[in-house]
Amino acid sequence: MQTCRIPRFPSVDWRQGRTTFTAGAPPISDRILAAIVFAIQAQRFLLADIVGRGWCVPGGGLEHGETLEACVRRETLEEAGARLGSLVYLGVFTVARRPLPPLCVPAYRSPVLALGPVGMPGESRGVRLVRPNELSTAYYRWDALLEAVFAYAEQHHTSGYPPAGA
């Protein structure tokens, strides 16, 4: 009998607090801060040079009444000018902010269907596609957690992992 192994991810300290990632775990709906996407085209990850953040994956805050899928698609179009294919839910980043309640940031992966002009030029200074082995020098704030989640996103992109509901 084959068993499904759930990967473990390291915890790191980010500016907002101690951060972890849990594969497949649903976010706590009243604690969602934003949503992000690991968008892939031609075996390269899409990064945008976001004002105030640097080179990172597209994503941002959930607007009132917006679904997570709509948020990821809107933010990717605004920050990177990219249109996404089907979204696959990867898991959730949880940011512990003591004494405040933790925040949740759901993460998806998706193929890039088309690249066009950045939808909100004031938000992004540029877009690039980066090979996995270039991420550590390209990403604005590289750490062990991001390395593990990018590897997980890449594995699920190439393995044909079935889409989950967004």
Side-chain angles (χ1 to χ4, degrees), residues 46-161:
L46 177 70
L47 299 182
D49 187 7
I50 307 302
V51 175
R53 281 188 275 177
W55 290 101
C56 60
V57 295
L62 195 63
E63 293 182 356
H64 181 71
E66 189 174 46
T67 66
L68 290 170
E69 180 175 336
C71 173
V72 166
R73 291 181 186 285
R74 175 185 52 77
E75 288 288 347
T76 303
L77 192 57
E78 288 176 1
E79 295 178 349
R83 296 204 185 278
L84 300 174
S86 61
L87 294 173
V88 173
Y89 180 71
L90 293 175
V92 63
F93 287 93
T94 303
V95 182
R97 312 169 307 147
R98 298 202 170 138
L100 300 171
L103 294 174
C104 295
V105 180
Y108 296 84
R109 73 125 173 105
S110 175
V112 174
L113 298 181
L115 281 172
V118 171
M120 299 280 290
E123 278 191 39
S124 176
R125 294 177 294 241
V127 175
R128 64 197 264 203
L129 293 165
V130 178
R131 287 186 172 89
N133 65 349
E134 300 169 327
L135 285 164
S136 64
T137 56
Y139 210 86
Y140 87 105
R141 192 176 186 169
W142 193 249
D143 60 30
L145 177 57
L146 286 169
E147 180 177 16
V149 177
F150 268 100
Y152 183 68
E154 180 185 23
Q155 170 195 349
H156 280 64
H157 177 70
T158 58
S159 70
Y161 189 76

